[in-house]
């Protein structure tokens, strides 16, 4: 033990001022600590309780004679004493055990009080013969159950177990030696549900298993010790002090041994330190008090002391009671003071061991390691310094260490530190950058491989992925960058390296094909332009597979029970910005494969733009793929005049017209494209066939013939009117009028066309002759011969109509005159009824008879009750009245009038008919409006 260093980690706190209070006059026989007070038992039978300021808190007479042993319990404020209560008349033993409840006080007169004595037990009985008590120990099992062990000089141990206050106890005896060797020390140890009792004599160390019945004894050693040299540490190990050494005992035998020379008068345990009062062989009044740090193998403190009577630990101090009743208080210095002491002596290893053994916080340990590292660094022991700095990771700022080792000669140490930083997951992006730069400067490919690739194929990376990829790319380690990107699932970075750095387009396409649909879609959106530029056809195939996945489902396909949403082709339109030919090819293949896409309308709109555009040329189109300006080299021809005839455009327009028709069939109310956009595209690009189709589908017939008029296609114009003017097919006959107006304003000879048009105008009686003449008179190139035959026929037709109208007028005048004469005759002349037969029954007319002004006569019996009209003439009369009422009702039905006016070829005839029937000839004046 001579190599153990001595330090002054403890110091005397109160010096010579602390002492046993003067009120305690008797000699101290025993003492105990535990609940913030020290209990002192004296030879006069009194017990004193001393507080922290070493003042007497209370005192009472526990026994009539001496107090031999006492112990304060930890869980309850109970004091157990063993003392001598001598009674002259009693034949029983005077040694008894008392239990005091210090929280209860019983009055014993006016001037003094004593704690309540819960129970008094006689230790010695006929079954338990009396002997000198040499050791005493109390264990709180589960209050109020306690276990008491009393060691005797006869080698026996008396045990008392139970609730002493209620006298529910069990007594039993344990025998150690048969030759009356005193029991010098006791110790309890709990192991699970078993309770063990250590017992030490000067000649042996024993252990009893109290859970066995009867308790089983095991001898641990054949050598023991004297009194006061036995104690239990906080791990429940038995410690025995002998002159040559201090021994530790487990339940199965002797454990560690520490060779501390000298007579061990007292042993103690304080916060992991071993306390020992060692006697001086030359003088009984001089002793040495040592505090051993067994973990760090050092003497934390050593001081010369006088004659010690008792040793306790309370209030965070070590208390030595001296024979002259003085008290030596020894306290541990704080960690900072101890470390400063070690730092001044450059004992950094000891400091590190100290903070670790005393379970200091990690920050304090890191600070010690930092100082040790700085010390080694100042001595240029860089490797050793770095080993200390590595232990500070997580507490010391990495930049503190990095700045010290930025020198190129220390790059190996710096690399080591950065590797450990990454291993613990504490590296930032800058640390990753620095470490990878170190590898690249050292050209240590093995280290780089180990750092990037040796993660056993699982778990997250221990570095920032984007930083590692960026540094590897900058240093030319593309394979390493690709490995990191692929393993971390950063598909966009993996493809970025393949496409931008390595130009491996086929591999990039293959990689995209292996991804999940969502991931593949995102990568194609980002790098699709590059792929189309170099591998257009393959990119189209990948997109087609991505958007269809060989499934009829468009909203989503089932993949292992989950729904995978397929991307829309319109999501990828922007990647074909310089290659519209391939966009057209992609969309065509898609609609051929999928006919119920939610984006069908958008796809058709885009295809119409491509089909109808005049020019699809872009200067960046790659000629390596066999296309120039977006078209195949063989698709262009030149005519004799040197003008380029774009056959590709004709083909596209053919496809465009087919798309217009197929996406708006006869059984569809609305087209599967934007009609307004289609009209604009056709108009902008001069696509006449498309315009004609759209106008016709939208029933804009006037716009249809307007297209022919703009191109002066007279033959097509007349043919179109023949097709669109048939009212039975929903056509508009008024188109012939517009056509006639067009020829009238044409300003050139179009006699043939006009004659043909007049044929249809005359056939359907579309225009009055006067309007025809006025319209055609505006064209100076037309002669009268063009309309001669038409006018002749119309005049002859009108003459016939006039003659028919005149005959009808004469007839109506004659009928009117006849009616007037009859009315006048009825008003002025008498009517003679000469009928001799009844009009109803044809029998001879007799009285009573009824005669009507219409010259019909009837028997009264042949008429019904209250019959006031002629039965023969009444139906005709009623029909006339109903017609009159209907005409009056129609006069109020304006909607009917306008419908007839709009549906008639000759609106004037409709108005004339209303006037002729007297429907609109009368104007009703509301009452009160007369002037």
């Amino acid at each position: 033990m001579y190599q153990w260093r001595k330090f002054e980690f403890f110091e005397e706190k109160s010096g010579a001022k602390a002492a046993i209070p003067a009120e305690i006059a008797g000699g101290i026989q025993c003492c105990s600590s535990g609940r913030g007070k020290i209990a002192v038992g004296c030879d006069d039978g009194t017990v004193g309780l001393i507080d922290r300021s070493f003042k007497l808190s209370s005192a009472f007479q526990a026994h009539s004679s001496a107090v031999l042993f006492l112990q304060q319990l930890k869980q309850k404020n109970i004091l157990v004493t063993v003392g001598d209560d001598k009674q002259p008349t009693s034949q029983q033993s005077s040694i008894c055990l008392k239990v005091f409840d210090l929280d209860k006080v019983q009055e014993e007169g006016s001037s003094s009080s004593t704690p309540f004595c819960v129970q008094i037990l006689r230790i010695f009985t006929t079954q338990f013969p009396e002997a000198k008590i040499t050791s005493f120990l109390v264990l709180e099992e589960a209050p109020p159950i306690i276990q008491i062990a009393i060691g005797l000089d006869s080698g026996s141990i008396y045990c008392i177990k139970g609730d002493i206050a209620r006298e529910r106890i069990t007594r039993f005896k344990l025998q150690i030696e048969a030759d009356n060797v005193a029991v010098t020390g006791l110790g309890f140890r709990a192991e699970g549900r078993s309770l063990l009792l250590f017992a030490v004599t000067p000649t042996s160390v024993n252990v009893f298993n109290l859970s066995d019945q009867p308790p089983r004894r095991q001898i641990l050693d054949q050598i023991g010790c004297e009194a006061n040299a036995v104690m239990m540490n906080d791990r429940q190990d038995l410690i025995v002090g002998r002159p040559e050494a201090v021994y530790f005992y487990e339940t199965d035998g002797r454990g560690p041994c520490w060779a501390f020379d000298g007579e061990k008068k007292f042993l103690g345990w304080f916060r992991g330190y071993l306390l020992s009062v060692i006697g001086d062989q030359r003088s009984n009044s001089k002793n040495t008090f040592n505090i051993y740090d067994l973990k760090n193998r050092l003497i934390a403190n050593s001081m010369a002391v006088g004659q010690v009577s008792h040793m306790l630990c309370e209030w965070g101090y070590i208390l030595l009671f001296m024979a002259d009743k003085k008290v030596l208080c020894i306290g541990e210095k704080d960690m900072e003071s101890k470390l400063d002491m070690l730092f001044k002596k450059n004992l950094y290893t000891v400091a590190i061991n100290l903070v670790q053994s005393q379970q200091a916080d990690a920050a304090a340990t890191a600070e010690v390691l930092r100082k040790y590292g700085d010390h080694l660094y100042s001595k240029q022991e860089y490797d050793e310094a770095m080993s200390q700095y590595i232990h500070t990771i997580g507490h010391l700022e990495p930049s503190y260490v990095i700045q010290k080792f930025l020198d190129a000669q220390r790059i190996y140490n710096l690399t080591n530190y950065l590797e450990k930083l990454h291993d613990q997951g504490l590296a930032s992006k800058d640390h990753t950058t620095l470490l990878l730069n170190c590898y690249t400067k050292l050209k240590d490919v093995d280290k780089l491989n180990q750092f990037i690739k040796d993660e056993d194929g699982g778990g997250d990376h221990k570095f920032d992925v984007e930083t590692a990829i960026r540094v590897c790319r900058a240093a030319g380690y593309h394979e390493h960058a690709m490995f990191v990107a692929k393993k971390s699932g950063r598909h966009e970075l993996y493809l970025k390296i393949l496409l931008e750095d390595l130009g491996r387009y086929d591999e990039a396409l293959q990689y995209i094909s292996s991804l999940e649909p969502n991931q593949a879609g995102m990568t194609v959106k980002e790098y699709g332009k590059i792929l189309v530029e170099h591998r257009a056809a393959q990119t189209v195939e990948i997109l087609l597979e991505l958007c269809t996945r060989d499934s009829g489902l468009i909203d989503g396909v089932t993949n292992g029970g989950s729904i995978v949403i397929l991307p829309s082709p319109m999501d990828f339109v922007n990647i074909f910005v310089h290659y519209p030919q391939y966009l057209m090819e992609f969309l065509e293949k898609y609609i051929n494969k999928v006919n119920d896409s939610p984006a069908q309308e958008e796809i058709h709109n885009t295809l119409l733009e491509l089909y109808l555009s005049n020019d699809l040329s872009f200067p960046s189109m790659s000629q390596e793929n066999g296309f120039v300006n977006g078209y195949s080299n063989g698709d262009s021809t030149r005519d004799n005049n040197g003008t380029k005839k774009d056959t590709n455009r004709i083909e596209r327009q053919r496809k465009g017209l087919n798309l217009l028709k197929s996406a708006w069939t006869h059984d569809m109310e609305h087209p599967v494209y934007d009609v307004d956009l289609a009209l604009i595209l056709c108009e902008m690009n001069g696509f006449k066939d498309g315009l004609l189709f759209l106008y016709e589908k939208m029933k804009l017939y006037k716009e249809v013939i307007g297209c022919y008029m703009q191109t002066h296609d007279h033959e097509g114009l007349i043919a179109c009117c023949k097709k669109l003017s048939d009212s039975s097919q929903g056509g508009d006959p008024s188109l012939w009028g517009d056509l006639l107006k067009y020829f009238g304003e044409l300003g050139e000879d179009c006699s043939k066309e006009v004659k043909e048009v007049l044929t249809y105008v005359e056939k359907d009686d579309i225009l009055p002759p006067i309007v025809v003449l006025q319209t055609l008179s505006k064209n100076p190139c037309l002669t009268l011969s063009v309309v001669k035959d038409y006018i002749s026929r119309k005049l002859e037709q009108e003459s016939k109509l006039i003659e028919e109208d005149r005959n009808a007028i004469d007839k109506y005048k004659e009928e009117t005159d006849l009616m007037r004469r009859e009315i006048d005759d009825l008003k002025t002349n008498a009517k003679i009824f000469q009928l001799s037969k009844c009009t109803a029954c044809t029998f001879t007319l007799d009285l009573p008879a009824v005669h009507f002004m219409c010259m019909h006569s009837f028997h009264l019996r042949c008429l019904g009750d209250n019959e006031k009209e002629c039965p023969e003439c009444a139906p005709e009369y009623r029909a006339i009245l109903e017609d009159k009422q209907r005409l009056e009702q129609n006069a109020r039905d304006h909607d009917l009038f306008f419908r007839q006016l709009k549906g008639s070829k000759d609106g004037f005839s409709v108005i004339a008919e209303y006037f002729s029937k007297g429907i609109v000839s009368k104007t009703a004046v509301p009452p009160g409006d007369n002037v």
Side-chain angles (χ1 to χ4, degrees):
M1 305 304 299
Y2 295 103
Q3 70 272 22
W4 283 27
R5 297 176 181 269
K6 290 185 178 182
F7 300 94
E8 295 181 0
F9 290 165
F10 287 77
E11 60 184 353
E12 186 177 350
K13 296 297 182 180
S14 57
K17 297 181 180 180
I20 299 297
E23 294 86 346
I24 300 178
I28 298 176
Q29 292 290 102
C30 55
C31 58
S32 175
S33 62
R35 294 182 61 90
K37 293 183 179 181
I38 296 176
V40 178
C42 301
D43 56 4
D44 58 0
T46 61
V47 173
L49 298 178
I50 303 174
D51 59 18
R52 187 164 186 164
S53 60
F54 289 96
K55 294 182 179 179
L56 184 64
S57 174
S58 63
F60 61 93
Q61 190 73 35
H63 297 271
S64 60
S65 185
V67 178
L68 303 178
F69 297 93
L70 59 78
Q71 182 175 338
Q72 293 188 73
L73 303 187
K74 305 289 185 181
Q75 300 181 36
K76 297 186 70 174
N77 196 12
I78 298 295
L79 179 66
V80 181
T81 64
V82 175
D84 188 359
D85 283 318
K86 292 183 178 180
Q87 298 180 3
T89 60
S90 176
Q91 298 299 322
Q92 296 179 346
S93 172
S94 62
I95 306 299
C96 63
L97 182 145
K98 293 185 179 181
V99 179
F100 294 94
D101 187 347
L102 300 181
D103 291 332
K104 298 180 180 179
V105 178
Q106 60 183 7
E107 295 294 335
E108 293 184 352
S110 60
S111 60
S112 64
S113 63
T114 184
F116 178 72
C117 183
V118 176
Q119 189 59 265
I120 300 175
L121 292 178
R122 295 292 178 179
I123 296 176
F124 303 113
T125 63
T126 55
Q127 296 180 354
F128 298 91
E130 184 174 357
K132 181 181 179 181
I133 299 175
T134 55
S135 58
F136 175 75
L137 186 62
V138 181
L139 172 67
E140 296 176 273
E141 289 191 7
I145 305 301
I146 62 175
Q147 180 100 16
I148 300 175
I150 303 173
L152 307 175
D153 62 354
S154 62
S156 299
I157 302 174
Y158 292 169
C159 295
I160 303 173
K161 179 181 179 180
D163 186 355
I164 297 180
R166 298 182 180 181
E167 293 192 47
R168 296 177 180 177
I169 60 175
T170 301
R171 295 173 180 253
F172 57 91
K173 175 182 176 182
L174 302 176
Q175 186 65 41
I176 299 178
E177 302 289 351
D179 51 355
N180 296 328
V181 179
V183 178
T184 56
L186 296 170
F188 283 109
R189 174 169 179 160
E191 285 191 348
R193 295 185 177 181
S194 299
L195 181 63
L196 305 178
L197 175 62
F198 289 102
V200 181
T201 69
T203 59
S204 66
V205 177
N206 309 272
V207 63
F208 290 90
N209 190 339
L210 302 182
S211 300
D212 295 340
Q213 294 298 330
R216 182 173 52 87
R217 173 188 172 216
Q218 179 183 356
I219 300 175
L220 302 180
D221 203 344
Q222 295 294 338
I223 304 176
C225 68
E226 299 298 329
N228 297 325
V230 179
M231 56 107 29
M232 301 289 291
N233 66 2
D234 48 16
R235 293 181 55 196
Q236 299 189 62
D237 294 330
L238 179 69
I239 304 176
V240 175
R242 300 188 187 122
E244 73 280 5
V246 174
Y247 298 90
F248 284 68
Y249 290 91
E250 298 281 349
T251 57
D252 54 353
R254 183 191 294 180
C257 170
W258 304 94
F260 303 138
D261 291 336
E263 180 187 359
K264 314 303 185 297
K265 293 188 175 182
F266 291 95
L267 282 183
W269 191 264
F270 177 75
R271 296 178 180 176
Y273 293 101
L274 176 63
L275 312 179
S276 177
V277 177
I278 301 176
D280 191 341
Q281 297 179 354
R282 295 170 294 181
S283 174
N284 292 330
S285 61
K286 293 181 179 181
N287 300 287
T288 302
F289 177 59
N290 289 339
I291 303 175
Y292 300 98
D293 186 346
L294 302 180
K295 290 184 179 179
N296 299 311
R297 295 178 179 270
L298 58 85
I299 300 175
N301 202 77
S302 180
M303 63 175 65
V305 295
Q307 188 173 358
V308 179
S309 61
H310 297 87
M311 182 171 65
L312 295 173
C313 296
E314 186 66 28
W315 308 312
Y317 297 126
I318 303 169
L319 305 177
L320 298 181
F321 287 15
M322 313 307 291
D324 56 0
K325 290 191 176 182
K326 291 183 179 180
V327 179
L328 191 61
C329 296
I330 302 172
E332 186 178 9
K333 294 181 179 179
D334 58 77
M335 180 62 72
E336 185 177 356
S337 300
K338 291 188 286 186
L339 292 177
D340 288 341
M341 185 187 308
L342 296 173
F343 292 154
K344 291 178 181 179
K345 298 179 180 181
N346 293 329
L347 298 176
Y348 294 97
T349 304
V350 178
I352 294 171
N353 294 334
L354 181 65
V355 294
Q356 291 177 346
S357 64
Q358 296 196 359
Q359 299 180 350
D361 58 76
T365 304
E367 179 63 18
V368 175
L369 292 169
R370 180 194 66 80
K371 290 185 177 182
Y372 188 25
D374 292 346
H375 173 69
L376 294 173
Y377 185 87
S378 64
K379 295 171 63 178
Q380 298 185 353
E381 296 179 7
Y382 301 113
D383 294 340
E384 293 79 3
M386 179 53 72
S387 65
Q388 302 304 319
Y389 288 134
I390 287 174
H391 292 302
T392 66
I393 292 176
H395 303 282
L396 181 62
E397 180 62 34
S399 59
Y400 177 86
V401 180
I402 292 173
Q403 289 178 355
K404 289 179 175 290
F405 291 86
L406 281 177
D407 185 14
Q409 296 179 352
R410 307 270 69 83
I411 191 171
Y412 291 100
N413 299 117
L414 179 59
T415 302
N416 186 25
Y417 180 78
L418 292 171
E419 287 174 348
K420 299 299 183 183
L421 203 62
H422 282 80
D423 289 340
Q424 298 189 26
L426 299 174
S428 66
K429 296 180 180 180
D430 294 333
H431 298 149
T432 301
T433 302
L434 185 58
L435 178 58
L436 293 175
N437 285 331
C438 290
Y439 287 149
T440 55
K441 286 184 179 180
L442 293 172
K443 299 187 182 301
D444 193 342
V445 180
D446 294 336
K447 279 277 190 178
L448 185 60
N449 289 336
Q450 183 181 2
F451 179 71
I452 289 180
K453 298 182 179 181
D454 70 339
E455 298 187 35
D456 299 329
D460 297 332
H461 286 283
K462 57 188 177 184
F463 49 79
D464 183 75
V465 172
E466 292 188 6
T467 302
I469 294 174
R470 174 175 52 79
V471 175
C472 289
R473 288 183 65 192
Y477 291 93
H478 297 108
E479 295 297 331
H480 295 79
M482 289 169 58
F483 176 85
V484 175
K486 186 174 184 179
K487 185 174 182 181
S488 60
R490 302 300 295 273
H491 309 295
E492 70 282 1
L493 296 178
Y494 184 86
L495 290 170
K496 190 178 184 70
I497 300 169
L498 280 177
L499 297 173
E500 297 181 2
D501 297 340
L502 303 178
R504 287 148 57 172
Y505 307 108
D506 294 329
E507 185 177 345
L509 288 169
Q510 185 178 2
Y511 183 77
I512 292 174
S513 301
S514 65
L515 298 177
E516 293 294 328
N518 292 337
Q519 298 171 342
M522 290 188 291
T523 55
V524 173
K525 288 178 186 178
E526 186 168 356
Y527 299 104
K529 292 182 181 178
I530 300 176
L531 293 172
V532 172
E533 181 179 359
H534 296 88
R535 298 292 186 274
Q538 296 90 325
T539 305
V540 169
E541 293 302 323
I542 286 181
L543 286 177
L544 191 62
E545 174 67 20
L546 182 63
C547 294
T548 59
R549 288 287 173 179
D550 294 328
S551 174
L553 295 177
I554 299 304
D555 293 332
V557 295
T558 302
N559 183 14
S562 61
I563 299 300
V564 179
I565 303 300
L566 296 180
S568 170
M570 300 308 298
D571 296 338
F572 307 101
V573 170
N574 64 312
I575 71 175
F576 294 96
V577 63
H578 297 300
Y579 302 90
Q581 185 71 15
Y582 289 108
L583 174 60
M584 187 167 59
E585 177 185 347
F586 167 53
L587 295 179
E588 286 175 347
K589 290 183 177 180
Y590 179 80
I591 61 175
N592 289 335
K593 197 169 185 179
V594 179
N595 54 12
D596 56 351
S597 171
Q600 198 82 357
E601 182 174 341
E602 294 177 316
I603 295 172
H604 287 167
N605 292 339
T606 305
L607 279 174
L608 286 175
E609 291 186 49
L610 295 170
Y611 287 152
L612 303 182
S613 177
N614 286 328
D615 189 8
L616 287 181
S617 61
F618 287 90
S620 61
M621 176 64 76
S622 175
Q623 298 185 12
E624 297 177 0
N625 294 324
F627 285 87
V628 179
N629 293 334
Y631 305 101
S632 173
N633 294 332
D635 287 346
S636 299
T637 61
R638 296 180 181 274
D639 59 14
N640 295 331
N641 296 326
T643 60
K644 183 178 180 181
K645 184 179 181 181
D646 194 349
T647 58
N648 185 279
R649 180 188 175 194
I650 296 174
E651 177 65 19
R652 287 189 287 107
Q653 289 183 345
R654 182 188 65 80
K655 292 180 179 179
L657 183 59
N658 291 336
L659 178 60
L660 289 174
K661 293 180 178 179
S662 63
W664 196 356
T665 58
H666 294 292
D667 57 346
M668 298 171 61
E669 183 178 358
H670 300 288
V672 193
Y673 51 79
D674 189 340
V675 178
D676 295 332
L677 176 62
L679 285 172
I680 293 172
L681 292 173
C682 293
E683 183 69 30
M684 289 176 56
N685 297 284
F687 185 37
K688 177 182 174 182
D689 293 342
L691 281 174
L692 292 176
F693 172 78
L694 292 173
Y695 286 151
E696 184 176 346
K697 291 294 291 183
M698 299 171 68
K699 299 187 182 304
L700 301 176
Y701 300 137
K702 295 185 182 297
E703 282 74 6
V704 175
I705 64 174
C707 292
Y708 288 101
M709 292 176 181
Q710 289 179 359
T711 59
H712 300 287
D713 184 3
H714 297 167
E715 183 178 354
L717 183 60
I718 294 175
C720 179
C721 283
K722 290 180 181 179
K723 177 182 178 182
L724 302 179
S725 63
D726 189 356
S727 59
S728 63
Q729 301 295 328
D732 185 5
S734 66
L735 295 177
W736 291 112
D738 296 334
L739 188 56
L740 193 66
K741 181 179 179 181
Y742 164 74
F743 287 125
E745 297 175 352
L746 186 59
E748 61 181 44
D749 188 9
C750 51
S751 302
K752 180 181 177 182
E753 291 83 357
V754 171
K755 288 181 180 181
E756 186 174 359
V757 171
L758 287 175
T759 303
Y760 291 99
V761 172
E762 182 182 3
K763 177 182 177 182
D764 295 330
D765 196 16
I766 297 172
L767 294 174
I770 186 64
V771 176
V772 173
L773 291 175
Q774 290 175 351
T775 301
L776 296 178
S777 65
K778 296 178 182 180
N779 190 342
C781 298
L782 295 177
T783 62
L784 186 60
S785 60
V786 176
V787 296
K788 178 181 178 181
D789 294 337
Y790 167 75
I791 294 298
S792 299
R793 290 191 299 272
K794 293 301 290 184
L795 288 176
E796 183 179 356
Q797 184 181 358
E798 292 294 333
S799 297
K800 291 181 180 180
L801 292 175
I802 292 172
E803 184 64 26
E804 292 176 357
D805 291 342
R806 285 177 178 173
N807 293 335
I809 291 172
D810 293 340
K811 178 182 177 182
Y812 291 147
K813 282 184 177 181
E814 292 177 358
E815 293 177 355
T816 302
D817 291 340
L818 179 60
M819 291 180 183
R820 285 175 178 172
R821 286 195 299 270
E822 290 180 356
I823 293 171
D824 184 66
D825 184 52
L826 291 173
K827 288 181 178 180
T828 58
N829 298 322
K831 197 71 172 179
I832 298 174
F833 299 96
Q834 297 179 348
L835 289 177
S836 59
K837 293 183 178 182
C838 177
T839 303
C841 65
T842 67
F843 289 105
T844 302
L845 189 66
D846 56 5
L847 297 177
V850 178
H851 303 278
F852 290 94
M853 300 298 291
C854 60
M855 303 306 294
H856 292 134
S857 299
F858 298 90
H859 293 113
L860 181 60
R861 63 179 177 272
C862 293
L863 294 176
D865 295 338
N866 299 322
E867 188 71 49
K868 296 180 180 181
E869 294 180 346
C870 175
E872 293 291 328
C873 300
E876 183 180 357
Y877 178 69
R878 290 195 189 97
I880 294 173
L881 289 178
E882 289 175 358
D883 290 340
K884 182 179 179 182
Q885 291 175 358
R886 185 172 64 254
L887 291 174
E888 292 176 351
Q889 184 177 0
N890 291 342
R892 295 190 295 270
D893 190 352
H894 304 296
D895 293 337
L896 176 63
F897 169 74
F898 287 109
R899 283 198 302 271
Q900 293 179 357
L901 186 64
K902 184 177 181 180
S904 175
K905 298 178 181 179
D906 186 3
F908 182 77
S909 62
V910 175
I911 298 175
E913 182 181 2
Y914 268 70
F915 272 102
S916 68
K917 295 179 179 180
I919 297 177
V920 295
S921 61
K922 297 179 181 179
T923 303
V925 180
D929 290 348
N930 297 328
V931 179

